[in-house]
Amino acid sequence: MLFRARHLQRNVRAYATALDSGLRPQVLTPIPGPKGKAISADIGSFQDPRHHVLVCDYLKSKGNYLVDVDGNTFLDVYAQIASIPVGYNHPQLLELVKSDLYATLAMSRPSLAVFPPEEWKGMCEDAFLSVAPPGLDQVFTAMCGSCANETAFKAAFMSYPARQAGVKASELEFTQEELASCMKNQAPGSPELSILSFTSAFHGRLFGALSATRSKAIHKIGIPAFEWPVVPWPEIKYPMSAYAAENKEAEARALQQVEETIKEWKTKRPVAAIIIEPIASEGGDHHASPDFFRGLREITLKHKVAFIVDEVQTGVGATGTFWAHEKWNLETPPDFMTFSKKMQAAGFYHRLETRAPQAYRNFNTWMGDPIRTLQAAEQVKIIKAGDLVSHTGSIGDDLYAGLETLAEQSDKMSGLRGKGQGTFIAWDMPSPSVRNSFLSTMRSRGVNIGGCGEAAVRLRPMLIFGERQKEELLGHVEEVIKGV
Amino acid sequence: MLFRARHLQRNVRAYATALDSGLRPQVLTPIPGPKGKAISADIGSFQDPRHHVLVCDYLKSKGNYLVDVDGNTFLDVYAQIASIPVGYNHPQLLELVKSDLYATLAMSRPSLAVFPPEEWKGMCEDAFLSVAPPGLDQVFTAMCGSCANETAFKAAFMSYPARQAGVKASELEFTQEELASCMKNQAPGSPELSILSFTSAFHGRLFGALSATRSKAIHKIGIPAFEWPVVPWPEIKYPMSAYAAENKEAEARALQQVEETIKEWKTKRPVAAIIIEPIASEGGDHHASPDFFRGLREITLKHKVAFIVDEVQTGVGATGTFWAHEKWNLETPPDFMTFSKKMQAAGFYHRLETRAPQAYRNFNTWMGDPIRTLQAAEQVKIIKAGDLVSHTGSIGDDLYAGLETLAEQSDKMSGLRGKGQGTFIAWDMPSPSVRNSFLSTMRSRGVNIGGCGEAAVRLRPMLIFGERQKEELLGHVEEVIKGV
């Protein structure tokens, strides 16, 4: 077993090295460079350019390395906001595009729920069912992370009356009052139900998703929102192992607040579902223990509230298990688990009992994208063949150890977190401005790296992040951290 | 000019015939056939199969013709719910997939607003700016029709305070109260603003979009909705030319209700925007005159309310102009025009003044899909080269004339509508059951055709629908209409 693991490890490293061949961090111009600046300004004539960080040459980018239009090469541990799983221009994926099926489904896009292609079942088996989280055997396909969460919300709302009544959804019929009032957006047809989420949560930016998002004011301000409850994320101290007792108390308090909130809102706007990320990512990489999540699951069962796990950012191997919530060892699986980003296809897993009770209730023209499903299927094959999930777990352990040493030597790094969570690692810096200066200095040395929360740095490398990349990253962090 | 039009017309017809070569309606099995039924049941093990109409063989489908897994061939005038512009397996589109840029952007998907590709500006020029509606020179890219409408809603809400105050958005600053309250989903940070829409409107199915959708109860029931106003679509009689005076009165009444509603909601939940489809499609193909839409635009200007035109279904040539609202000859363009479906890429057009006042307010990970943008660009080239928009206008006129003759001979067809609107044609049947029986009988003869509203038939052929397809369609309608 050990031999096998080492052997695979070597293969993965050899593979990663081959894929990156010839590329390493190299910066030739100020960042952004003159060509990038000019193109960014051009784009600015018709689209908001204020978010641009780099204008890239994707044809030249490869594996872990992103190349910009000024010829600079970056080790990319941000990976398009955590959404590239196996590296830029993976040869096996480029090959997929050349297949007749890919070309046809790309250019003759089916309405998947009405005129599905002959190949749909096999595609979904390879892409989704072969990596389904324990206990969930149904998959609803959507276009993006926000859509995945919102269609899961819809499924949670639709199944709420039956769940509360303890009957099958098909046993319930609509009243005339419900049918009429929903056309006016009024109760009882448009029920005043809610989704409970946590402070610092990020679940997307469309109207339902944004009502559950609690990350930053700039994401929410000026946009109408549903009156939905929010409960503080437990106040966890890091490293978690050093504060086990305090964290346990903090988690108990948070669980109590969840239960109180459910009770309190019962007569106001009943909670139909709780949504939570295994690690609150955009909001600052906040963690909690498996016990906390198991406790949450118990509360949802007790109060017949649906439990939605949002794995849009944590999913697909980055934490050392294919889905982060597998580490919780839940006795009862979640009702819904949503995915997007690194999967490249989006949607949610669930069970048959939460399929919409009537047709055309959770439905739309495209119901996802068949070519992103083909891509997900191929990515899953690559991940399995390369044993990239356990590789990420193991390289993540090494990376964490290296960062731990650096954190001990620097007063600029605190709250290091993500131990045992693969490469899904973050730490805090003294202030937003120090953090931002750290990120831009890293970029000026050829490491593309992202922030989250107020003053945190988050690592989101790809699953092919290997030994050499780890050394490069640690080397630059060590040098830059001294100067900020 | 006439010579040129005829010459192009011949070319288009020759092209359409070549593309369809060898295919015509042919049904070998009951519909759905045994193989289709079996595959549908298989899919049913993990996904809702109740909406399935046909399981298709997309590799064999070509041009106007959809082939199913049982070897049946259908003239397709439904076109994946109005979302295929230039036919199945168009050779020029299949060729596009083989390009290095397509493969790379497919398999190394950028976060378009943060790390745009070098080619982004050219792609957007070809796909979007080259067909921008008059007066709108900015484009926000998104993933689907619902997302397009919701991100336009967000832009309308964000620009509302400045529009009402008559100042530049950049001149307004957030108060501490706004910043704090939005984190609790409360006013003033989460303002109690609304979107006004019309009865029978369909604007999508995510939470914001669904709150503006008023098509059918089954689309809305059980899902929480925003308290937003709805105004009746004017009660138009068809053919519109025969009821000009009555329709004018109906439109005047509707406009008055719009204005009253805006005033009434001013102290309740102010209307930040009005959204309307040029033809209310899913809701039953309801039309109104250009005067009505011009009147609506005047009211929105008077009350400083944003005007959103939803061209998700009407856009991209089907009505004989690239965008349906071009026929209104507005003095002041709409504030937002949304698109998706046949464009294959989604988003909205707008002007610089409605760009989000601050960065990261209308933003997400992907901001659309670069390969759907490449596809849109190629489709636009095909449409322009084939003069397919004016072709659709002219073949639509012929089709309408043929249907008019059939309607005169049958008491089963009433309310024929869509004259001068290309192939975007619909009519009513005596009841939902007669309509449904008509659709399935047409399908059993090899014509795939869709319904809308309660008892309407809608035609949504592709832009390559030609003379032969028109004859096939009219022939089958004539025979089937006798029997239902």
Side-chain angles (χ1 to χ4, degrees):
Chain A
M1 188 61 195
L2 189 64
F3 166 75
R4 190 176 165 267
R6 278 197 189 137
H7 176 68
L8 273 170
Q9 190 76 357
R10 267 201 304 276
N11 276 354
V12 168
R13 284 174 187 170
Y15 167 82
T17 310
L19 203 59
D20 296 339
S21 101
L23 295 184
R24 53 186 60 233
Q26 188 184 30
V27 176
L28 311 168
T29 72
I31 304 297
K35 197 173 167 192
K37 268 189 170 171
I39 293 176
S40 184
D42 277 350
I43 294 174
S45 66
F46 65 90
Q47 220 168 43
D48 194 341
R50 285 171 297 181
H51 321 98
H52 292 173
V53 170
L54 297 169
V55 179
C56 299
D57 185 335
Y58 288 96
L59 289 163
K60 287 193 188 141
S61 300
K62 208 170 174 189
N64 287 292
Y65 297 90
L66 179 63
V67 176
D68 78 2
V69 290
D70 288 281
N72 303 303
T73 305
F74 303 85
L75 166 64
D76 192 359
V77 294
Y78 194 31
Q80 309 296 327
I81 318 184
S83 70
I84 302 285
V86 293
Y88 294 110
N89 287 310
H90 192 292
Q92 203 169 319
L93 294 177
L94 295 179
E95 197 59 33
L96 167 68
V97 179
K98 292 182 190 159
S99 72
D100 289 343
L101 183 63
Y102 185 98
T104 282
L105 292 183
M107 295 301 152
S108 309
R109 173 154 46 166
S111 180
L112 290 165
V114 188
F115 304 98
E118 180 169 11
E119 301 81 2
W120 186 237
K121 187 183 178 221
M123 289 161 63
C124 288
E125 278 172 345
D126 293 348
F128 308 126
L129 303 174
S130 72
V131 291
L136 305 183
D137 61 359
Q138 303 283 306
V139 65
F140 185 100
T141 43
M143 292 293 285
C144 66
S146 282
C147 305
N149 283 333
E150 294 214 356
T151 48
F153 290 177
K154 287 180 73 170
F157 286 128
M158 285 187 260
S159 55
Y160 174 80
R163 189 163 44 248
Q164 285 289 318
V167 300
K168 281 191 180 174
S170 55
E171 292 173 28
L172 299 176
E173 288 193 0
F174 302 127
T175 64
Q176 282 307 313
E177 193 191 359
E178 285 171 333
L179 289 164
S181 58
C182 77
M183 297 307 285
K184 299 178 195 164
N185 293 9
Q186 290 170 0
S190 305
E192 296 198 329
L193 297 172
S194 66
I195 304 284
L196 182 151
S197 62
F198 292 83
T199 51
S200 84
F202 186 88
H203 300 295
R205 292 167 173 270
L206 299 172
F207 284 80
L210 189 63
S211 292
T213 285
R214 310 282 181 162
S215 43
K216 291 175 193 149
I218 198 69
H219 301 155
K220 291 174 70 70
I221 198 157
I223 310 299
F226 288 109
E227 194 192 349
W228 288 355
V230 59
V231 166
W233 186 278
E235 279 186 48
I236 299 295
K237 288 186 180 170
Y238 307 98
M240 289 174 75
S241 56
Y243 298 94
E246 284 155 277
N247 287 343
K248 199 174 172 150
E249 278 176 36
E251 291 182 345
R253 278 196 303 277
L255 289 175
Q256 199 184 334
Q257 278 185 281
V258 169
E259 192 156 14
E260 281 165 9
T261 304
I262 292 173
K263 286 179 191 163
E264 184 193 329
W265 283 63
K266 198 97 191 173
T267 52
K268 189 176 174 184
R269 226 175 219 280
V271 175
I274 289 179
I275 184 166
I276 194 163
E277 300 154 276
I279 300 163
S281 308
E282 171 67 26
D285 266 30
H286 300 291
H287 292 248
S289 76
D291 275 345
F292 172 73
F293 294 103
R294 283 197 295 267
L296 211 48
R297 185 52 175 140
E298 276 175 36
I299 293 171
T300 58
L301 289 169
K302 182 175 165 193
H303 294 278
K304 298 177 184 169
V305 161
F307 187 46
I308 308 175
V309 178
D310 176 345
E311 292 245 27
V312 168
Q313 186 153 168
T314 53
V316 192
T319 70
T321 46
F322 200 91
W323 304 110
H325 84 273
E326 290 173 42
K327 294 187 236 0
W328 305 342
N329 289 314
L330 292 176
E331 276 177 42
T332 308
D335 295 290
F336 304 97
M337 194 216 81
T338 62
F339 60 90
S340 183
K341 284 198 181 264
K342 276 198 289 297
M343 201 69 166
Q344 289 285 319
F348 65 85
Y349 292 97
H350 64 120
R351 282 185 300 279
L352 190 58
E353 69 205 56
T354 50
R355 190 179 279 181
Q358 290 80 18
Y360 293 105
R361 290 185 69 191
N362 219 352
F363 174 85
N364 58 59
T365 297
W366 287 327
M367 298 286 275
D369 190 331
I371 51 175
R372 294 299 180 189
T373 305
L374 284 173
Q375 180 177 0
E378 199 66 28
Q379 290 174 175
V380 165
K381 276 183 209 160
I382 293 167
I383 291 168
K384 288 187 171 179
D387 202 20
L388 294 180
V389 177
S390 65
H391 158 73
T392 298
S394 121
I395 197 88
D397 288 346
D398 297 349
L399 177 61
Y400 187 93
L403 290 165
E404 209 167 22
T405 306
L406 297 183
E408 281 161 13
Q409 296 159 1
S410 168
D411 57 356
K412 302 282 169 43
M413 286 176 78
S414 64
L416 185 68
R417 48 203 183 267
K419 188 169 190 171
Q421 298 280 355
T423 55
F424 212 98
I425 297 169
W427 66 85
D428 294 315
M429 303 204 70
S431 71
S433 67
V434 171
R435 188 268 312 269
N436 294 344
S437 152
F438 172 80
L439 299 180
S440 62
T441 310
M442 285 294 281
R443 216 171 284 124
S444 74
R445 299 170 68 109
V447 179
N448 187 40
I449 184 168
C452 64
E454 282 305 305
V457 174
R458 63 173 149 175
L459 303 184
R460 297 292 179 270
M462 308 157 190
L463 306 183
I464 55 161
F465 182 85
E467 188 64 26
R468 176 159 75 81
Q469 288 77 36
K470 188 199 74 182
E471 292 304 325
E472 285 171 1
L473 176 63
L474 287 172
H476 286 289
V477 171
E478 181 172 14
E479 291 179 37
V480 173
I481 208 89
K482 285 179 197 155
V484 289
Chain B
M1 187 61 193
L2 189 64
F3 168 77
R4 190 176 165 267
R6 280 199 188 136
H7 176 71
L8 273 170
Q9 190 78 355
R10 268 202 302 278
N11 275 355
V12 168
R13 285 175 187 170
Y15 166 81
T17 311
L19 203 60
D20 295 340
S21 99
L23 294 184
R24 52 187 61 232
Q26 188 183 31
V27 175
L28 310 167
T29 72
I31 304 297
K35 196 171 168 194
K37 268 189 169 170
I39 293 176
S40 183
D42 277 351
I43 294 174
S45 66
F46 65 90
Q47 221 168 42
D48 195 341
R50 286 172 296 180
H51 322 97
H52 292 173
V53 169
L54 297 168
V55 180
C56 300
D57 185 335
Y58 287 97
L59 289 163
K60 287 193 187 138
S61 302
K62 208 170 174 189
N64 287 291
Y65 297 90
L66 179 62
V67 177
D68 79 2
V69 290
D70 288 280
N72 302 303
T73 305
F74 303 85
L75 167 63
D76 193 358
V77 294
Y78 194 30
Q80 309 297 327
I81 319 184
S83 70
I84 302 285
V86 293
Y88 295 111
N89 286 309
H90 193 292
Q92 202 170 321
L93 294 177
L94 296 179
E95 196 59 35
L96 167 69
V97 179
K98 293 182 188 158
S99 72
D100 288 344
L101 183 63
Y102 185 98
T104 281
L105 293 183
M107 295 300 152
S108 308
R109 172 154 44 168
S111 182
L112 290 166
V114 188
F115 303 99
E118 182 170 9
E119 301 81 2
W120 186 237
K121 188 186 178 218
M123 290 162 63
C124 288
E125 278 172 343
D126 293 348
F128 308 125
L129 303 176
S130 71
V131 291
L136 304 183
D137 61 358
Q138 302 283 304
V139 64
F140 186 99
T141 43
M143 292 294 285
C144 65
S146 282
C147 307
N149 283 333
E150 294 214 356
T151 48
F153 291 177
K154 288 179 72 170
F157 287 129
M158 284 186 263
S159 55
Y160 174 82
R163 190 163 41 248
Q164 284 289 317
V167 299
K168 282 192 179 174
S170 55
E171 292 173 26
L172 299 175
E173 287 195 1
F174 301 128
T175 65
Q176 281 308 312
E177 193 191 359
E178 285 171 331
L179 289 163
S181 58
C182 78
M183 298 307 285
K184 299 177 194 164
N185 293 9
Q186 289 169 0
S190 306
E192 297 197 330
L193 296 172
S194 65
I195 304 284
L196 182 152
S197 61
F198 291 83
T199 52
S200 84
F202 186 88
H203 301 295
R205 293 167 171 272
L206 300 171
F207 283 81
L210 190 63
S211 293
T213 284
R214 311 282 180 162
S215 44
K216 292 175 192 149
I218 199 69
H219 302 157
K220 292 174 70 72
I221 198 157
I223 310 300
F226 288 108
E227 194 193 349
W228 288 354
V230 59
V231 166
W233 187 278
E235 279 185 48
I236 299 295
K237 289 185 181 170
Y238 307 97
M240 290 173 76
S241 56
Y243 297 94
E246 283 156 277
N247 287 343
K248 197 171 173 156
E249 278 176 34
E251 291 182 345
R253 278 195 303 277
L255 288 175
Q256 199 184 334
Q257 278 186 282
V258 169
E259 192 154 15
E260 280 165 11
T261 305
I262 291 173
K263 286 180 191 163
E264 184 194 329
W265 284 63
K266 198 96 193 174
T267 52
K268 190 178 174 183
R269 225 174 220 281
V271 175
I274 289 181
I275 184 168
I276 194 161
E277 300 154 275
I279 300 164
S281 309
E282 170 67 26
D285 266 30
H286 300 292
H287 292 248
S289 74
D291 274 346
F292 173 73
F293 294 103
R294 281 197 296 266
L296 211 50
R297 184 52 176 139
E298 276 174 36
I299 292 171
T300 58
L301 288 170
K302 181 175 165 191
H303 293 279
K304 298 177 184 170
V305 162
F307 187 46
I308 308 176
V309 178
D310 176 345
E311 293 245 27
V312 168
Q313 187 155 165
T314 52
V316 192
T319 69
T321 47
F322 200 91
W323 304 109
H325 84 272
E326 290 173 42
K327 293 189 244 344
W328 305 341
N329 289 314
L330 291 177
E331 275 177 41
T332 308
D335 295 292
F336 305 97
M337 195 218 78
T338 62
F339 60 90
S340 182
K341 285 200 182 261
K342 275 197 290 297
M343 201 69 167
Q344 290 285 319
F348 65 85
Y349 292 96
H350 64 119
R351 282 186 298 279
L352 190 58
E353 68 204 55
T354 51
R355 189 179 278 181
Q358 290 79 18
Y360 294 105
R361 290 184 70 191
N362 218 354
F363 174 84
N364 58 60
T365 298
W366 287 328
M367 299 286 276
D369 190 331
I371 49 175
R372 295 299 180 187
T373 305
L374 284 174
Q375 179 176 358
E378 199 66 27
Q379 291 174 173
V380 165
K381 275 183 210 160
I382 293 167
I383 290 169
K384 287 187 171 181
D387 202 19
L388 294 180
V389 177
S390 64
H391 159 72
T392 298
S394 117
I395 197 89
D397 288 345
D398 297 349
L399 177 62
Y400 187 91
L403 290 165
E404 209 167 24
T405 306
L406 296 182
E408 281 161 14
Q409 295 159 2
S410 167
D411 57 355
K412 301 284 169 41
M413 286 176 78
S414 64
L416 184 68
R417 47 203 183 267
K419 188 168 187 170
Q421 298 281 354
T423 55
F424 212 97
I425 297 170
W427 67 86
D428 294 315
M429 301 203 70
S431 71
S433 67
V434 170
R435 190 269 312 268
N436 293 344
S437 154
F438 173 81
L439 298 180
S440 63
T441 309
M442 286 293 283
R443 217 173 282 123
S444 74
R445 301 171 66 109
V447 180
N448 186 41
I449 184 168
C452 64
E454 283 305 306
V457 175
R458 65 173 148 177
L459 303 183
R460 296 293 178 271
M462 309 157 188
L463 306 184
I464 56 161
F465 182 85
E467 187 64 25
R468 175 157 78 79
Q469 288 77 36
K470 188 199 75 183
E471 293 303 325
E472 284 171 3
L473 176 61
L474 286 173
H476 286 290
V477 170
E478 181 172 14
E479 291 179 34
V480 173
I481 208 90
K482 286 179 196 154
V484 289

